[in-house]
Structures are given as structure tokens and as C-alpha cells.
């Protein structure tokens, strides 16, 4: 009995951790230590059944890194850390440990065998060959990289148990190539020309023991996440309830003073990210499980880094020692809004199987209480009501356990249930075509969406805000029929049926419909 009670308590706590972490933004600069090393900071993680036409038997996994990239951030732009290992992990048996890991390692070189591009400077008799200060010295395009001074390559290792295999691109190449960032339209002519250039770095690759080919792309993309970031972290400096009768209606007939949908509320609208995307045959990742997989991404650095007092391009520092995990992400914003400041770096270094250590932070989650403090008086005044507490009162939050931690039985629950923070996807549920996707995922009567995995067009901010404040205590559509799931009752969540929102709209129409799904990055020099 004691073990059962402990298990339920930890499960409930971890579920709350998973849920609340989805609220308000993505994982940009979420912990003190990671702010010092942005090249290994994961920003978003996606896991979904591919909805590109003809790719129904594949799963797409996307891990984005290097947050808040200003497209004009030259002259060095946004290379990955050559000392780091960036990983995408897949669990197919439910023990919260990886059955497969895809490990990415990067390298960079200068043109001319490491000497870089040099120009003859000075008159005859007093002429010197001098290295240029830029990473490119002329226009670039598909099949034309001669003017590129800086080349970034990467390798991919697939690790499974005690074995590992290095993947190789088709043809004679020994390494994969990351396309140069979209520095501007003088270098690449246009956004379409840049996309054609980047497309040549989508690779078909053979996986060990797998008949079907996988696809890999690594490169800069437009940040797909939308969020009212600045105002949210200024103590939620807006009324987070829909101000129109329906999103985008423009009639102001919703909650008085509530925020309305506008792309102007998206603080990431002018930002890029660096994407690691892999498309994997379903049959090759589900193992002997029940077809549900869990996944997350990590980045690790060598334990020791010694700066070179006489730094060079090839050797700015010396790295050694065991790899140390410094970044971890599956569901967004777990670390920002749940974990206490003293333990944020610990969370980034932890494994999903160790998540019980953070249970104290979430058995009594603080964010609903904070929203109550910030808005209770204003809500009661506006509505002429006398709501004692806006936060749900059903503890432990069993409504969150099935939805966000263990997965829902018959939907996205692994064969073995281990309380842990990772995205879970049922690979047997067919993908919903982009034009038919609901931005509210399962809550929008679309079983192929969040929290059954996560697609780029799923509005996880609005979904999670509502569920955190008790939406699952009220009726939700199940096969189109309003249904109470039995976890809690409406009286447990007095505002659980309120359309909470950050006012930053997102849906599948804002993304591409083919791998790697994310949009062409913004140009550093658009004109």
C-alpha cells in the first residue's frame, strides 16, 4: 500500500511538472548555466507522425537549438559547438531510458585546407596575401559554394544498447554538411534561392537493420514557436483570456480587456533557430513495444574546457574528460516555470528516469497560485463574482497524470509506464493532413496532435494554459461528444472552461507541409 501511494504521488507530481512546463513559451534561456552557452541550449522539441504526402509510414523528430537568433547576427552567425554532442533519444519500451540515440557531432574548417580565403593586398613589390574577415567572399547558391570561407560538417552516430553505427550520406561524402546560415539576399539572391541551396543538404540515409531509408537535415530555420514572451515573464503583463467571442473574430465580445489574437504578440516572429531534424521509419523505432515511443533531446559537453591563451581558429581551447549533459528538453518550459532556481541546472543534467527527485516542486505547483494572486481580484471585479481561488483544487492533480505524464491508455501510453518527463507518440494513429489539423490537438478532437506527440502547428501555450487551470475537469470533445473524463469535476476548477491564451496565434498553415516542415529562415539582409 505504501509503495502504491508513493508511486501515485510521484506520478501526479511529475505529471504536473510536465504540464506546467508547457505553459507560456518555449525553452529559451531556461536555466542560469545554459545562458552562458547558448550553442547547446535546446529551444523546442517536436515528435509527430509525418504528414507529408506519401510519408505516412514515418515519424519526424525535430530538435531546435541556439535560441533567439537575430538573422543579422554577423559576421560569425550561428555555428554549433564542435566540442558538444547533440542527441535525440527514443524510448520504445517505457523504462524512460533510450533504446536508440542519434548523436550529432560538429566540426568546422576554413577553406584552402584551413588557411582560409586570402587576397593579394598592396602594390607589386610590396604585396601580401591577407586573410579575409568574413565567412563568405561572394554569392552562394545551390551547387555553388566556391565563395564560402567557413565550412561546417557533422557526423551522426546511432547508438543502441552497447552497439553504435556511424551513418553516412549517400555518395562518396564521408560527412554531412550543414548549410551556411541565411546571411542575406545579396549572398543568396532571394529566400527561394536560399531554400534551394539548403534543400541539397537534406540527406537520405540507411539505418542499421532497417530496410527503409531515413532522412536527415541540419540547418538554420525560422523559429516555429510563437509566444508572447516579454510580457509573459513580466508577471504576465496582459489579461490572458480571449478578448473576442472567438479567436480572431475582432469583435471584442469576449472577456473584457482580454488579449486578442495577433501576430504582433509573437516575440519570436523575427528569430531563427538551428534545427536538427530526422525522419525515421516507424517500423525501425518501435522495437518490440506497443507502437508508442517516448523521446527527448540533450546536449553534452566535455567535463573540462581549458582556454588557449594563444587561441587560434583551429584550437581556441582544449576539451577533455567525460561528457556532461548540460541541456535537456522534451515538453517545453518545464525548467522555466516549475523547477526552483537552485535546481534548474540540475534538471538540465538529469535523465527522465530520475525525475522523481523534482517531485516536491510540483506536488503543489506554484504557477496556478501565481495566476490567482495576479488576477483573482481583477476577475472578481470585472465579473462581479466572488471566486475564492482561480487555481484548481483537486490534489493530487490526477487530471494531469494521464494527459501529460503516463500517456493516456489506448492513445499514447507505452507498454510499461514509468513516471518521466518526455514526449510520447502513438505511431499507429494516422497523421492528420495539415489542412485538417486542430491547433488544439487532442483537446480539439484531433488525436494526432499534442499531447500525443507535438507538431509544429500545435498551440501548446493555449492548450497547456487551459489544462493547467482545470480544463480536464470540464467536458472536452471525445469523438465529437462533450465528455467528462472522470479525473475531477467542474467545481474543482472554477475557471477551467475559460479560453486562456497568450494572444499569439499558431496553426499548421504557418508551417510547411514537407520535411523538415519548418520555414526558410529569415534573411540577415532582406533587401
Amino acid at each position: 500500500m505504501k509503495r502504491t501511494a508513493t508511486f501515485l504521488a510521484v506520478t501526479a507530481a511529475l505529471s504536473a511538472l510536465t504540464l506546467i512546463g508547457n505553459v507560456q513559451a518555449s525553452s529559451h534561456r531556461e536555466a542560469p548555466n545554459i545562458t552562458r552557452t547558448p550553442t547547446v541550449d535546446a529551444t523546442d522539441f517536436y515528435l509527430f507522425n509525418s504528414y507529408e504526402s506519401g510519408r505516412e509510414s514515418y515519424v519526424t523528430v525535430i530538435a531546435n537549438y541556439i535560441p533567439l537568433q537575430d538573422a543579422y547576427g554577423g559576421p560569425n552567425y550561428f555555428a554549433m559547438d564542435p566540442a558538444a554532442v547533440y542527441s535525440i533519444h527514443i524510448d520504445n519500451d517505457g523504462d524512460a531510458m533510450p533504446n536508440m540515440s542519434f548523436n550529432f557531432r560538429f566540426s568546422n574548417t576554413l577553406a584552402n585546407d584551413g588557411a582560409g580565403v586570402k587576397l593579394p593586398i598592396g602594390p607589386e613589390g610590396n604585396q601580401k596575401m591577407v586573410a579575409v574577415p568574413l565567412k563568405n567572399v561572394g554569392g552562394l547558391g545551390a551547387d555553388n559554394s566556391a565563395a564560402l570561407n567557413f565550412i561546417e560538417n557533422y557526423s551522426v552516430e546511432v547508438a543502441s544498447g552497447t552497439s553504435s553505427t556511424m551513418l553516412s550520406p549517400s555518395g562518396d561524402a564521408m560527412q554531412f554538411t550543414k548549410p551556411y546560415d541565411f546571411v542575406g539576399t545579396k549572398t543568396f539572391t532571394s529566400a527561394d534561392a536560399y531554400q534551394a541551396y539548403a534543400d541539397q543538404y537534406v540527406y537520405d540515409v540507411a539505418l542499421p537493420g532497417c530496410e527503409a531509408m531515413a532522412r536527415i537535415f541540419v540547418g538554420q530555420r525560422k523559429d516555429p514557436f510563437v509566444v508572447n514572451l516579454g510580457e509573459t515573464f513580466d508577471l504576465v503583463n496582459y489579461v490572458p483570456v480571449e478578448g473576442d467571442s472567438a479567436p480572431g473574430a475582432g469583435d471584442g465580445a469576449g472577456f473584457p480587456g482580454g488579449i486578442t489574437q495577433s501576430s504582433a504578440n509573437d516575440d519570436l516572429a523575427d528569430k531563427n533557430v538551428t534545427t536538427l531534424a530526422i525522419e525515421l521509419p516507424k517500423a525501425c523505432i518501435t522495437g518490440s513495444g506497443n507502437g508508442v515511443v517516448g523521446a527527448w533531446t540533450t546536449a553534452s559537453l566535455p567535463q573540462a574546457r581549458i582556454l588557449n591563451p594563444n587561441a587560434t581558429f583551429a584550437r581556441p581551447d582544449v576539451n577533455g574528460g567525460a561528457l556532461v549533459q548540460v541541456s535537456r528538453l522534451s515538453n517545453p518550459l518545464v525548467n522555466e516555470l516549475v523547477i526552483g532556481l537552485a535546481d534548474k541546472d540540475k534538471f538540465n543534467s538529469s535523465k527522465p528516469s530520475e525525475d522523481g527527485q523534482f517531485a516536491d516542486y510540483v506536488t503543489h505547483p506554484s504557477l496556478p497560485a501565481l495566476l490567482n494572486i495576479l488576477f483573482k481580484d481583477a476577475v472578481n471585479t470585472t465579473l462581479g463574482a466572488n471566486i475564492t481561488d482561480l487555481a484548481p483544487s483537486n490534489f493530487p492533480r490526477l487530471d494531469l497524470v494521464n494527459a501529460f505524464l503516463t500517456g493516456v491508455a489506448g492513445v499514447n501510453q507505452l507498454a510499461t509506464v514509468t513516471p518521466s518527463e518526455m514526449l510520447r507518440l502513438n505511431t499507429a494513429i494516422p497523421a492528420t493532413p495539415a489542412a485538417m489539423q486542430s491547433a488544439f490537438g487532442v483537446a480539439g478532437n484531433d488525436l494526432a496532435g499534442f499531447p500525443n506527440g507535438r507538431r509544429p502547428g500545435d498551440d501548446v501555450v493555449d492548450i497547456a494554459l487551459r489544462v493547467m487551470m482545470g480544463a480536464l475537469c470540464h467536458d472536452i470533445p471525445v469523438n465529437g461528444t462533450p465528455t467528462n473524463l472522470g479525473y475531477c469535476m467542474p467545481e474543482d476548477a472554477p475557471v477551467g472552461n475559460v479560453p486562456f491564451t497568450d494572444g499569439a496565434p499558431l496553426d499548421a498553415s504557418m508551417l510547411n507541409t514537407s520535411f523538415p516542415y519548418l520555414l526558410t529562415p529569415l534573411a540577415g539582409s532582406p533587401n
Side-chain angles (χ1 to χ4, degrees), residues 279-302:
E279 189 183 49
L280 302 166
K282 294 179 182 180
C284 301
I285 65 171
T286 53
S288 59
N290 64 354
V292 177
V293 296
W296 65 100
T297 185
T298 62
S300 302
L301 289 169

Side-chain angles (χ1 to χ4, degrees), residues 366-392:
S366 61
L367 188 57
L370 177 60
L371 291 175
N372 178 66
I373 292 169
L374 293 173
F375 294 107
K376 183 184 73 172
D377 290 345
V379 166
N380 282 329
T381 299
T382 301
L383 298 180
N386 189 28
I387 300 172
T388 303
D389 194 335
L390 302 180

Side-chain angles (χ1 to χ4, degrees), residues 240-242 371 461-463 465-466 469 495-496 498-502:
V241 181
E242 179 59 56
L371 291 175
V461 173
D462 286 6
I463 296 170
L465 264 174
R466 298 173 190 195
M469 295 305 291
V495 295
V498 168
F500 288 98
T501 180
D502 70 335

Side-chain angles (χ1 to χ4, degrees), residues 231-244:
E231 290 187 325
T232 292
F233 283 104
D234 184 20
L235 297 177
V236 194
N237 191 17
Y238 55 91
V239 178
V241 181
E242 179 59 56
D244 287 337

Side-chain angles (χ1 to χ4, degrees), residues 149 173 177 256-257 280 294 312 343 406 457 459 475 490 516:
N149 191 27
T177 298
L280 302 166
T312 64
D343 282 334
T406 64
D459 195 344
D475 289 353

Side-chain angles (χ1 to χ4, degrees), residues 310-326:
N310 188 26
T312 64
F313 175 87
R315 200 173 179 82
D317 48 39
V318 177
N319 295 272
L323 286 171
V324 175
Q325 182 181 301
V326 295

Side-chain angles (χ1 to χ4, degrees), residues 22-70:
N22 279 290
V23 180
Q24 302 291 344
S26 186
S27 181
H28 298 67
R29 295 172 55 82
E30 79 283 355
N33 191 47
I34 205 66
T35 62
R36 302 190 298 173
T37 50
T39 55
V40 288
D41 187 357
T43 69
D44 274 290
F45 187 67
Y46 302 91
L47 172 71
F48 55 95
N49 289 311
S50 299
Y51 50 90
E52 178 181 347
S53 178
R55 307 294 288 188
E56 294 82 5
S57 60
Y58 288 82
V59 165
T60 296
V61 191
I62 298 173
N64 289 337
Y65 279 85
I66 312 183
L68 305 177
Q69 295 181 18
D70 289 317

Side-chain angles (χ1 to χ4, degrees), residues 132-148:
V132 302
L134 305 179
K135 285 190 170 180
N136 67 294
V137 294
L140 302 170
D143 302 318
N144 176 26
S145 297
L148 190 58

